[in-house]
Each structure stands twice: as C-alpha cells, then as structure tokens.
Amino acid sequence: MRRTVPGLFAVLLGTLALVGAPATSYAATACTPLAPTAAAQEADAVFTGVLAGAGQTDDSVKPKRFTYPVTVQTSLKGSATGRVTVITRGGSCGIGRLQPGTQYLFFVNAHGQAWLAPGTLGTTSQNVPATEQQVVAALAPPTVTFGEPKVGAPESLRRIAAPGVALVLIGLLGLLFVRRSPRTHV
C-alpha cells in the first residue's frame, strides 16, 4: 500500500503537468478573430462604413498605427454616426492597412475621440451583408409571446384546498402517534 501512494502521486502530478501544457500553444492562436456574434457582444460599437480617405500612418509607435476617416453607413451597436475616426494597428495581431473606398464591417472599442479596431474583434471587408445579418440576429432582443388566458369557470375552492387539508390531517395524525408512542428513558 505504501508503494502505490507515491506512484499515484507521481501519476497525478504528471497528469496536471500535461493538462497545463496546452497553455503555451494558446499564444499562437491568441490573434484569431472572434466569430461575428461573439465580436458583436465584445465590441463597444459595430457599424458598416466606407473609408473616406487613405488615412495616416504613425511610424513612431510599434506596431505601426493607421488612422482613417470613415463614413458610417449603418450603426448596429453603439453611438458611431456620421464621420468617425478609426484606428488600426499593424503587427501580427493587427488589421493593418485598409483600402480607401471599400465597405467594412467594423467591430470597434472606444479610444478617446476615435474608435480602435483591434485585430481580435474581426473587422472585415469580406461578405459584409451576410456578416451584418449575423450581427443583427445576435444583437436582436429575444422575442416574447404571450398566450391567451384560460377561458372557463375557475377551479372550485374544494379542489384547490384539498391537498393542503390532507397535509394538515397527516401532520396531526403524526403528532398524535408520536405523543402516544412509548418513550424510552435513558
């Protein structure tokens, strides 16, 4: 018995080490964008818009930062309307450069007076109408339907009170039984 306890302990520690191992592989997939429905929940604002210009590049920060004027077409979530400024970043997890005149579906977070489009939220120019429909469905409030109340005579008082009266009678009989049963004195 003594030999098996340390062996089991070693197996348990080995299993815990293996369970913790995939955490290192998570770093490689940390830049994968969220699905549109999840990104819509995470973002401060979601809107479709067209880049109104080429934007500006800021090389003084690493990774590079790109600032674009965007004309909002449809605001699906948040307060982005009219013409807004969207900031993207380069690098391995950034979106990078966007194409002027192209329609995008932006998933953004507030960043001062501008909006930041991180690469992990999945701002895209691919299949915007279909993705927009997914986002609208994800953000829509749940629908509630109400049925008609039952029509007819209400239940009689006897039918409603019968279960309660039965429980009271059983309780009283139980008390009588316990009171009359012989008690053992210790």
Side-chain angles (χ1 to χ4, degrees):
M1 181 71 174
R2 269 186 172 217
R3 286 186 170 181
T4 59
V5 172
L8 289 173
F9 186 72
V11 169
L12 178 64
L13 284 177
T15 304
L16 288 175
L18 287 176
V19 169
T24 57
S25 66
Y26 177 76
T29 62
C31 295
T32 304
L34 295 173
T37 54
Q41 300 298 327
E42 292 289 323
D44 293 337
V46 180
F47 58 89
T48 59
V50 175
L51 262 61
Q56 298 175 352
T57 304
D58 184 359
D59 294 326
S60 66
V61 293
K62 296 287 182 193
K64 289 183 181 179
R65 185 181 306 175
F66 307 100
T67 305
Y68 299 97
V70 176
T71 303
V72 176
Q73 295 173 319
T74 307
S75 183
L76 304 171
K77 177 182 178 183
S79 60
T81 58
R83 184 169 271 191
V84 296
T85 301
V86 174
I87 300 170
T88 65
R89 292 191 175 132
S92 62
C93 288
I95 296 172
R97 288 197 180 274
L98 303 179
Q99 297 300 316
T102 305
Q103 181 186 35
Y104 286 89
L105 179 59
F106 290 96
F107 297 92
V108 294
N109 290 324
H111 188 75
Q113 298 295 324
W115 296 99
L116 176 64
T120 56
L121 286 183
T123 292
T124 184
S125 65
Q126 304 296 317
N127 206 2
V128 171
T131 308
E132 184 179 3
Q133 288 177 354
Q134 291 176 0
V135 170
V136 167
L139 295 175
T143 57
V144 179
T145 57
F146 296 99
E148 291 292 322
K150 284 185 172 182
V151 179
E155 297 288 335
S156 68
L157 182 59
R158 283 187 200 156
R159 186 173 175 105
I160 294 172
V165 171
L167 287 174
V168 169
L169 287 174
I170 291 171
L172 288 174
L173 289 173
L175 285 174
L176 286 174
F177 177 75
V178 170
R179 186 174 174 112
R180 293 201 180 233
S181 67
R183 295 182 191 165
T184 57
H185 299 288
V186 181

mmCIF file of all heavy atoms in Angstrom, residues 76-124:
data_model
loop_
_atom_site.group_PDB
_atom_site.id
_atom_site.type_symbol
_atom_site.label_atom_id
_atom_site.label_comp_id
_atom_site.label_asym_id
_atom_site.label_seq_id
_atom_site.Cartn_x
_atom_site.Cartn_y
_atom_site.Cartn_z
ATOM 1 N N LEU A 76 -25.014 49.437 -35.963
ATOM 2 C CA LEU A 76 -25.715 48.281 -35.416
ATOM 3 C C LEU A 76 -25.663 48.245 -33.891
ATOM 4 O O LEU A 76 -26.544 47.680 -33.249
ATOM 5 C CB LEU A 76 -25.109 46.992 -35.978
ATOM 6 C CG LEU A 76 -25.075 46.895 -37.507
ATOM 7 C CD1 LEU A 76 -24.276 45.691 -37.950
ATOM 8 C CD2 LEU A 76 -26.478 46.856 -38.050
ATOM 9 N N LYS A 77 -24.626 48.824 -33.326
ATOM 10 C CA LYS A 77 -24.464 48.866 -31.871
ATOM 11 C C LYS A 77 -23.602 50.065 -31.538
ATOM 12 O O LYS A 77 -22.656 50.379 -32.255
ATOM 13 C CB LYS A 77 -23.787 47.584 -31.374
ATOM 14 C CG LYS A 77 -23.513 47.569 -29.878
ATOM 15 C CD LYS A 77 -22.793 46.300 -29.472
ATOM 16 C CE LYS A 77 -22.484 46.331 -27.979
ATOM 17 N NZ LYS A 77 -21.719 45.142 -27.562
ATOM 18 N N GLY A 78 -23.900 50.750 -30.458
ATOM 19 C CA GLY A 78 -23.074 51.861 -30.019
ATOM 20 C C GLY A 78 -23.511 53.185 -30.623
ATOM 21 O O GLY A 78 -24.587 53.307 -31.206
ATOM 22 N N SER A 79 -22.647 54.186 -30.488
ATOM 23 C CA SER A 79 -23.007 55.562 -30.852
ATOM 24 C C SER A 79 -22.231 56.111 -32.045
ATOM 25 O O SER A 79 -22.133 57.321 -32.190
ATOM 26 C CB SER A 79 -22.775 56.467 -29.639
ATOM 27 O OG SER A 79 -21.409 56.425 -29.261
ATOM 28 N N ALA A 80 -21.678 55.272 -32.885
ATOM 29 C CA ALA A 80 -20.916 55.749 -34.040
ATOM 30 C C ALA A 80 -21.891 56.185 -35.139
ATOM 31 O O ALA A 80 -22.673 55.384 -35.629
ATOM 32 C CB ALA A 80 -20.000 54.653 -34.556
ATOM 33 N N THR A 81 -21.838 57.468 -35.481
ATOM 34 C CA THR A 81 -22.683 58.007 -36.552
ATOM 35 C C THR A 81 -21.903 59.043 -37.339
ATOM 36 O O THR A 81 -20.927 59.620 -36.843
ATOM 37 C CB THR A 81 -23.968 58.666 -35.991
ATOM 38 O OG1 THR A 81 -23.589 59.693 -35.080
ATOM 39 C CG2 THR A 81 -24.864 57.666 -35.291
ATOM 40 N N GLY A 82 -22.356 59.302 -38.568
ATOM 41 C CA GLY A 82 -21.720 60.337 -39.389
ATOM 42 C C GLY A 82 -20.333 59.937 -39.823
ATOM 43 O O GLY A 82 -20.106 58.846 -40.310
ATOM 44 N N ARG A 83 -19.386 60.835 -39.614
ATOM 45 C CA ARG A 83 -17.988 60.558 -39.956
ATOM 46 C C ARG A 83 -17.221 60.371 -38.657
ATOM 47 O O ARG A 83 -17.270 61.214 -37.762
ATOM 48 C CB ARG A 83 -17.382 61.691 -40.756
ATOM 49 C CG ARG A 83 -15.962 61.349 -41.201
ATOM 50 C CD ARG A 83 -15.430 62.302 -42.184
ATOM 51 N NE ARG A 83 -15.799 61.804 -43.512
ATOM 52 C CZ ARG A 83 -15.313 62.300 -44.620
ATOM 53 N NH1 ARG A 83 -14.472 63.301 -44.575
ATOM 54 N NH2 ARG A 83 -15.660 61.807 -45.778
ATOM 55 N N VAL A 84 -16.517 59.248 -38.570
ATOM 56 C CA VAL A 84 -15.754 58.906 -37.367
ATOM 57 C C VAL A 84 -14.309 58.616 -37.756
ATOM 58 O O VAL A 84 -13.988 58.440 -38.931
ATOM 59 C CB VAL A 84 -16.359 57.683 -36.637
ATOM 60 C CG1 VAL A 84 -17.753 57.985 -36.135
ATOM 61 C CG2 VAL A 84 -16.348 56.451 -37.512
ATOM 62 N N THR A 85 -13.449 58.544 -36.748
ATOM 63 C CA THR A 85 -12.047 58.187 -36.949
ATOM 64 C C THR A 85 -11.842 56.780 -36.400
ATOM 65 O O THR A 85 -12.193 56.499 -35.252
ATOM 66 C CB THR A 85 -11.123 59.171 -36.213
ATOM 67 O OG1 THR A 85 -11.372 60.484 -36.717
ATOM 68 C CG2 THR A 85 -9.667 58.823 -36.419
ATOM 69 N N VAL A 86 -11.278 55.913 -37.240
ATOM 70 C CA VAL A 86 -10.992 54.533 -36.840
ATOM 71 C C VAL A 86 -9.491 54.332 -36.862
ATOM 72 O O VAL A 86 -8.817 54.696 -37.831
ATOM 73 C CB VAL A 86 -11.692 53.515 -37.771
ATOM 74 C CG1 VAL A 86 -11.263 52.092 -37.437
ATOM 75 C CG2 VAL A 86 -13.199 53.658 -37.685
ATOM 76 N N ILE A 87 -8.965 53.717 -35.799
ATOM 77 C CA ILE A 87 -7.536 53.433 -35.674
ATOM 78 C C ILE A 87 -7.334 51.925 -35.767
ATOM 79 O O ILE A 87 -8.025 51.156 -35.098
ATOM 80 C CB ILE A 87 -6.983 53.952 -34.327
ATOM 81 C CG1 ILE A 87 -7.179 55.461 -34.219
ATOM 82 C CG2 ILE A 87 -5.512 53.572 -34.167
ATOM 83 C CD1 ILE A 87 -6.887 56.009 -32.834
ATOM 84 N N THR A 88 -6.395 51.510 -36.621
ATOM 85 C CA THR A 88 -5.985 50.109 -36.686
ATOM 86 C C THR A 88 -4.504 50.038 -36.389
ATOM 87 O O THR A 88 -3.810 51.055 -36.426
ATOM 88 C CB THR A 88 -6.265 49.488 -38.080
ATOM 89 O OG1 THR A 88 -5.450 50.134 -39.047
ATOM 90 C CG2 THR A 88 -7.732 49.624 -38.457
ATOM 91 N N ARG A 89 -4.051 48.843 -36.109
ATOM 92 C CA ARG A 89 -2.627 48.649 -35.827
ATOM 93 C C ARG A 89 -2.070 47.595 -36.751
ATOM 94 O O ARG A 89 -2.765 46.676 -37.170
ATOM 95 C CB ARG A 89 -2.440 48.218 -34.377
ATOM 96 C CG ARG A 89 -2.792 49.329 -33.415
ATOM 97 C CD ARG A 89 -2.374 49.008 -32.014
ATOM 98 N NE ARG A 89 -2.642 50.154 -31.165
ATOM 99 C CZ ARG A 89 -3.252 50.091 -29.997
ATOM 100 N NH1 ARG A 89 -3.645 48.938 -29.525
ATOM 101 N NH2 ARG A 89 -3.456 51.172 -29.295
ATOM 102 N N GLY A 90 -0.792 47.706 -37.039
ATOM 103 C CA GLY A 90 -0.099 46.685 -37.812
ATOM 104 C C GLY A 90 0.391 45.601 -36.873
ATOM 105 O O GLY A 90 -0.065 45.488 -35.741
ATOM 106 N N GLY A 91 1.307 44.832 -37.314
ATOM 107 C CA GLY A 91 1.868 43.776 -36.483
ATOM 108 C C GLY A 91 1.109 42.475 -36.652
ATOM 109 O O GLY A 91 0.179 42.351 -37.445
ATOM 110 N N SER A 92 1.508 41.478 -35.870
ATOM 111 C CA SER A 92 0.956 40.135 -36.047
ATOM 112 C C SER A 92 -0.522 40.041 -35.661
ATOM 113 O O SER A 92 -1.246 39.246 -36.237
ATOM 114 C CB SER A 92 1.770 39.130 -35.234
ATOM 115 O OG SER A 92 1.693 39.452 -33.856
ATOM 116 N N CYS A 93 -0.976 40.828 -34.702
ATOM 117 C CA CYS A 93 -2.376 40.746 -34.284
ATOM 118 C C CYS A 93 -3.205 41.923 -34.786
ATOM 119 O O CYS A 93 -4.371 42.054 -34.423
ATOM 120 C CB CYS A 93 -2.477 40.697 -32.759
ATOM 121 S SG CYS A 93 -1.925 39.138 -32.069
ATOM 122 N N GLY A 94 -2.632 42.792 -35.569
ATOM 123 C CA GLY A 94 -3.366 43.962 -36.034
ATOM 124 C C GLY A 94 -4.051 43.722 -37.365
ATOM 125 O O GLY A 94 -3.834 42.716 -38.040
ATOM 126 N N ILE A 95 -4.881 44.658 -37.744
ATOM 127 C CA ILE A 95 -5.570 44.597 -39.032
ATOM 128 C C ILE A 95 -4.672 45.134 -40.125
ATOM 129 O O ILE A 95 -4.664 44.647 -41.244
ATOM 130 C CB ILE A 95 -6.876 45.417 -38.987
ATOM 131 C CG1 ILE A 95 -7.832 44.806 -37.980
ATOM 132 C CG2 ILE A 95 -7.523 45.472 -40.358
ATOM 133 C CD1 ILE A 95 -9.052 45.642 -37.732
ATOM 134 N N GLY A 96 -3.908 46.157 -39.785
ATOM 135 C CA GLY A 96 -3.026 46.755 -40.776
ATOM 136 C C GLY A 96 -3.737 47.791 -41.622
ATOM 137 O O GLY A 96 -4.679 48.436 -41.183
ATOM 138 N N ARG A 97 -3.271 47.939 -42.856
ATOM 139 C CA ARG A 97 -3.834 48.944 -43.766
ATOM 140 C C ARG A 97 -5.192 48.519 -44.292
ATOM 141 O O ARG A 97 -5.414 47.357 -44.586
ATOM 142 C CB ARG A 97 -2.901 49.167 -44.939
ATOM 143 C CG ARG A 97 -1.659 49.914 -44.594
ATOM 144 C CD ARG A 97 -1.018 50.436 -45.882
ATOM 145 N NE ARG A 97 0.180 51.163 -45.568
ATOM 146 C CZ ARG A 97 0.188 52.457 -45.239
ATOM 147 N NH1 ARG A 97 -0.917 53.123 -45.189
ATOM 148 N NH2 ARG A 97 1.316 53.060 -44.956
ATOM 149 N N LEU A 98 -6.062 49.509 -44.446
ATOM 150 C CA LEU A 98 -7.380 49.295 -45.047
ATOM 151 C C LEU A 98 -7.409 49.998 -46.396
ATOM 152 O O LEU A 98 -6.656 50.941 -46.632
ATOM 153 C CB LEU A 98 -8.476 49.838 -44.128
ATOM 154 C CG LEU A 98 -8.516 49.254 -42.707
ATOM 155 C CD1 LEU A 98 -9.627 49.910 -41.901
ATOM 156 C CD2 LEU A 98 -8.676 47.750 -42.721
ATOM 157 N N GLN A 99 -8.298 49.571 -47.266
ATOM 158 C CA GLN A 99 -8.375 50.111 -48.618
ATOM 159 C C GLN A 99 -9.394 51.244 -48.696
ATOM 160 O O GLN A 99 -10.571 51.035 -48.353
ATOM 161 C CB GLN A 99 -8.779 49.009 -49.601
ATOM 162 C CG GLN A 99 -7.770 47.882 -49.691
ATOM 163 C CD GLN A 99 -6.417 48.360 -50.152
ATOM 164 O OE1 GLN A 99 -6.304 49.149 -51.074
ATOM 165 N NE2 GLN A 99 -5.367 47.882 -49.479
ATOM 166 N N PRO A 100 -8.990 52.436 -49.150
ATOM 167 C CA PRO A 100 -9.924 53.553 -49.291
ATOM 168 C C PRO A 100 -11.055 53.193 -50.264
ATOM 169 O O PRO A 100 -10.846 52.501 -51.254
ATOM 170 C CB PRO A 100 -9.064 54.684 -49.853
ATOM 171 C CG PRO A 100 -7.663 54.314 -49.502
ATOM 172 C CD PRO A 100 -7.629 52.819 -49.498
ATOM 173 N N GLY A 101 -12.261 53.663 -49.953
ATOM 174 C CA GLY A 101 -13.424 53.426 -50.798
ATOM 175 C C GLY A 101 -14.060 52.062 -50.599
ATOM 176 O O GLY A 101 -15.071 51.758 -51.224
ATOM 177 N N THR A 102 -13.511 51.232 -49.744
ATOM 178 C CA THR A 102 -14.035 49.886 -49.506
ATOM 179 C C THR A 102 -14.986 49.903 -48.315
ATOM 180 O O THR A 102 -14.756 50.593 -47.332
ATOM 181 C CB THR A 102 -12.881 48.902 -49.217
ATOM 182 O OG1 THR A 102 -11.956 48.974 -50.298
ATOM 183 C CG2 THR A 102 -13.368 47.488 -49.045
ATOM 184 N N GLN A 103 -16.069 49.103 -48.414
ATOM 185 C CA GLN A 103 -17.010 48.984 -47.300
ATOM 186 C C GLN A 103 -16.481 47.939 -46.321
ATOM 187 O O GLN A 103 -16.052 46.852 -46.724
ATOM 188 C CB GLN A 103 -18.391 48.567 -47.790
ATOM 189 C CG GLN A 103 -19.397 48.459 -46.659
ATOM 190 C CD GLN A 103 -20.739 47.915 -47.109
ATOM 191 O OE1 GLN A 103 -20.816 47.070 -47.986
ATOM 192 N NE2 GLN A 103 -21.799 48.425 -46.506
ATOM 193 N N TYR A 104 -16.531 48.275 -45.043
ATOM 194 C CA TYR A 104 -16.093 47.375 -43.983
ATOM 195 C C TYR A 104 -17.196 47.236 -42.951
ATOM 196 O O TYR A 104 -18.026 48.135 -42.775
ATOM 197 C CB TYR A 104 -14.844 47.925 -43.279
ATOM 198 C CG TYR A 104 -13.579 47.819 -44.084
ATOM 199 C CD1 TYR A 104 -13.204 48.841 -44.953
ATOM 200 C CD2 TYR A 104 -12.752 46.711 -43.964
ATOM 201 C CE1 TYR A 104 -12.040 48.749 -45.697
ATOM 202 C CE2 TYR A 104 -11.578 46.617 -44.708
ATOM 203 C CZ TYR A 104 -11.235 47.636 -45.560
ATOM 204 O OH TYR A 104 -10.077 47.543 -46.289
ATOM 205 N N LEU A 105 -17.180 46.112 -42.253
ATOM 206 C CA LEU A 105 -17.992 45.938 -41.059
ATOM 207 C C LEU A 105 -17.020 46.073 -39.900
ATOM 208 O O LEU A 105 -16.124 45.243 -39.726
ATOM 209 C CB LEU A 105 -18.675 44.573 -41.041
ATOM 210 C CG LEU A 105 -19.530 44.263 -39.816
ATOM 211 C CD1 LEU A 105 -20.650 45.288 -39.660
ATOM 212 C CD2 LEU A 105 -20.120 42.874 -39.912
ATOM 213 N N PHE A 106 -17.154 47.177 -39.140
ATOM 214 C CA PHE A 106 -16.222 47.497 -38.068
ATOM 215 C C PHE A 106 -16.735 46.999 -36.727
ATOM 216 O O PHE A 106 -17.883 47.237 -36.358
ATOM 217 C CB PHE A 106 -16.017 49.020 -37.970
ATOM 218 C CG PHE A 106 -15.245 49.606 -39.109
ATOM 219 C CD1 PHE A 106 -15.901 50.161 -40.187
ATOM 220 C CD2 PHE A 106 -13.868 49.611 -39.088
ATOM 221 C CE1 PHE A 106 -15.193 50.711 -41.242
ATOM 222 C CE2 PHE A 106 -13.147 50.160 -40.137
ATOM 223 C CZ PHE A 106 -13.809 50.707 -41.222
ATOM 224 N N PHE A 107 -15.867 46.310 -35.997
ATOM 225 C CA PHE A 107 -16.080 45.942 -34.601
ATOM 226 C C PHE A 107 -15.041 46.751 -33.835
ATOM 227 O O PHE A 107 -13.842 46.466 -33.940
ATOM 228 C CB PHE A 107 -15.856 44.448 -34.378
ATOM 229 C CG PHE A 107 -16.816 43.565 -35.126
ATOM 230 C CD1 PHE A 107 -16.509 43.097 -36.391
ATOM 231 C CD2 PHE A 107 -18.025 43.205 -34.555
ATOM 232 C CE1 PHE A 107 -17.382 42.280 -37.079
ATOM 233 C CE2 PHE A 107 -18.916 42.384 -35.242
ATOM 234 C CZ PHE A 107 -18.603 41.921 -36.496
ATOM 235 N N VAL A 108 -15.460 47.770 -33.094
ATOM 236 C CA VAL A 108 -14.513 48.717 -32.510
ATOM 237 C C VAL A 108 -14.769 48.935 -31.028
ATOM 238 O O VAL A 108 -15.867 48.691 -30.525
ATOM 239 C CB VAL A 108 -14.565 50.068 -33.254
ATOM 240 C CG1 VAL A 108 -14.085 49.922 -34.682
ATOM 241 C CG2 VAL A 108 -15.960 50.653 -33.225
ATOM 242 N N ASN A 109 -13.729 49.433 -30.366
ATOM 243 C CA ASN A 109 -13.818 49.843 -28.967
ATOM 244 C C ASN A 109 -13.503 51.332 -28.883
ATOM 245 O O ASN A 109 -12.729 51.853 -29.692
ATOM 246 C CB ASN A 109 -12.835 49.052 -28.100
ATOM 247 C CG ASN A 109 -13.242 47.604 -27.966
ATOM 248 O OD1 ASN A 109 -14.431 47.286 -27.893
ATOM 249 N ND2 ASN A 109 -12.278 46.708 -27.942
ATOM 250 N N ALA A 110 -14.097 52.006 -27.916
ATOM 251 C CA ALA A 110 -13.859 53.435 -27.736
ATOM 252 C C ALA A 110 -12.381 53.661 -27.419
ATOM 253 O O ALA A 110 -11.767 52.912 -26.655
ATOM 254 C CB ALA A 110 -14.731 53.973 -26.611
ATOM 255 N N HIS A 111 -11.818 54.710 -28.028
ATOM 256 C CA HIS A 111 -10.408 55.057 -27.838
ATOM 257 C C HIS A 111 -10.316 56.581 -27.869
ATOM 258 O O HIS A 111 -9.955 57.172 -28.888
ATOM 259 C CB HIS A 111 -9.567 54.411 -28.945
ATOM 260 C CG HIS A 111 -8.098 54.537 -28.738
ATOM 261 N ND1 HIS A 111 -7.410 53.795 -27.812
ATOM 262 C CD2 HIS A 111 -7.169 55.324 -29.355
ATOM 263 C CE1 HIS A 111 -6.134 54.107 -27.859
ATOM 264 N NE2 HIS A 111 -5.957 55.043 -28.787
ATOM 265 N N GLY A 112 -10.704 57.215 -26.766
ATOM 266 C CA GLY A 112 -10.758 58.676 -26.722
ATOM 267 C C GLY A 112 -11.856 59.175 -27.638
ATOM 268 O O GLY A 112 -12.993 58.724 -27.565
ATOM 269 N N GLN A 113 -11.537 60.081 -28.563
ATOM 270 C CA GLN A 113 -12.499 60.596 -29.526
ATOM 271 C C GLN A 113 -12.609 59.692 -30.762
ATOM 272 O O GLN A 113 -13.436 59.927 -31.625
ATOM 273 C CB GLN A 113 -12.116 62.014 -29.967
ATOM 274 C CG GLN A 113 -12.112 63.019 -28.836
ATOM 275 C CD GLN A 113 -13.517 63.216 -28.267
ATOM 276 O OE1 GLN A 113 -14.504 63.191 -28.982
ATOM 277 N NE2 GLN A 113 -13.593 63.391 -26.965
ATOM 278 N N ALA A 114 -11.759 58.675 -30.847
ATOM 279 C CA ALA A 114 -11.729 57.786 -32.016
ATOM 280 C C ALA A 114 -12.214 56.397 -31.610
ATOM 281 O O ALA A 114 -12.589 56.144 -30.462
ATOM 282 C CB ALA A 114 -10.315 57.709 -32.571
ATOM 283 N N TRP A 115 -12.199 55.495 -32.582
ATOM 284 C CA TRP A 115 -12.577 54.104 -32.365
ATOM 285 C C TRP A 115 -11.385 53.230 -32.738
ATOM 286 O O TRP A 115 -10.773 53.427 -33.775
ATOM 287 C CB TRP A 115 -13.776 53.717 -33.222
ATOM 288 C CG TRP A 115 -15.021 54.462 -32.873
ATOM 289 C CD1 TRP A 115 -15.515 55.560 -33.516
ATOM 290 C CD2 TRP A 115 -15.914 54.194 -31.806
ATOM 291 N NE1 TRP A 115 -16.670 55.978 -32.905
ATOM 292 C CE2 TRP A 115 -16.942 55.150 -31.849
ATOM 293 C CE3 TRP A 115 -15.962 53.231 -30.802
ATOM 294 C CZ2 TRP A 115 -17.992 55.182 -30.953
ATOM 295 C CZ3 TRP A 115 -17.011 53.261 -29.901
ATOM 296 C CH2 TRP A 115 -18.015 54.217 -29.979
ATOM 297 N N LEU A 116 -11.056 52.267 -31.882
ATOM 298 C CA LEU A 116 -9.951 51.354 -32.118
ATOM 299 C C LEU A 116 -10.508 50.025 -32.623
ATOM 300 O O LEU A 116 -11.391 49.439 -31.994
ATOM 301 C CB LEU A 116 -9.153 51.124 -30.837
ATOM 302 C CG LEU A 116 -8.016 50.117 -30.917
ATOM 303 C CD1 LEU A 116 -6.945 50.605 -31.885
ATOM 304 C CD2 LEU A 116 -7.430 49.871 -29.541
ATOM 305 N N ALA A 117 -9.992 49.564 -33.772
ATOM 306 C CA ALA A 117 -10.412 48.286 -34.355
ATOM 307 C C ALA A 117 -9.312 47.253 -34.132
ATOM 308 O O ALA A 117 -8.414 47.110 -34.956
ATOM 309 C CB ALA A 117 -10.700 48.449 -35.841
ATOM 310 N N PRO A 118 -9.351 46.522 -32.996
ATOM 311 C CA PRO A 118 -8.312 45.520 -32.758
ATOM 312 C C PRO A 118 -8.505 44.326 -33.684
ATOM 313 O O PRO A 118 -9.620 44.003 -34.091
ATOM 314 C CB PRO A 118 -8.518 45.123 -31.290
ATOM 315 C CG PRO A 118 -9.928 45.463 -30.993
ATOM 316 C CD PRO A 118 -10.298 46.605 -31.894
ATOM 317 N N GLY A 119 -7.424 43.668 -34.014
ATOM 318 C CA GLY A 119 -7.477 42.524 -34.917
ATOM 319 C C GLY A 119 -8.273 41.358 -34.355
ATOM 320 O O GLY A 119 -8.804 40.546 -35.097
ATOM 321 N N THR A 120 -8.364 41.261 -33.037
ATOM 322 C CA THR A 120 -9.054 40.128 -32.429
ATOM 323 C C THR A 120 -10.570 40.225 -32.526
ATOM 324 O O THR A 120 -11.258 39.241 -32.287
ATOM 325 C CB THR A 120 -8.662 40.001 -30.949
ATOM 326 O OG1 THR A 120 -8.939 41.241 -30.297
ATOM 327 C CG2 THR A 120 -7.198 39.646 -30.801
ATOM 328 N N LEU A 121 -11.114 41.388 -32.868
ATOM 329 C CA LEU A 121 -12.569 41.516 -32.980
ATOM 330 C C LEU A 121 -13.084 41.217 -34.386
ATOM 331 O O LEU A 121 -14.268 41.023 -34.577
ATOM 332 C CB LEU A 121 -13.044 42.909 -32.539
ATOM 333 C CG LEU A 121 -13.027 43.163 -31.040
ATOM 334 C CD1 LEU A 121 -13.584 44.539 -30.718
ATOM 335 C CD2 LEU A 121 -13.793 42.106 -30.280
ATOM 336 N N GLY A 122 -12.235 41.174 -35.365
ATOM 337 C CA GLY A 122 -12.643 40.692 -36.675
ATOM 338 C C GLY A 122 -13.250 41.693 -37.629
ATOM 339 O O GLY A 122 -14.103 41.328 -38.436
ATOM 340 N N THR A 123 -12.824 42.963 -37.593
ATOM 341 C CA THR A 123 -13.268 43.920 -38.604
ATOM 342 C C THR A 123 -12.957 43.337 -39.975
ATOM 343 O O THR A 123 -11.866 42.822 -40.194
ATOM 344 C CB THR A 123 -12.561 45.272 -38.409
ATOM 345 O OG1 THR A 123 -13.036 45.845 -37.188
ATOM 346 C CG2 THR A 123 -12.844 46.225 -39.553
ATOM 347 N N THR A 124 -13.932 43.404 -40.895
ATOM 348 C CA THR A 124 -13.754 42.732 -42.177
ATOM 349 C C THR A 124 -14.394 43.487 -43.331
ATOM 350 O O THR A 124 -15.331 44.266 -43.120
ATOM 351 C CB THR A 124 -14.351 41.312 -42.121
ATOM 352 O OG1 THR A 124 -14.081 40.642 -43.346
ATOM 353 C CG2 THR A 124 -15.845 41.329 -41.886
#
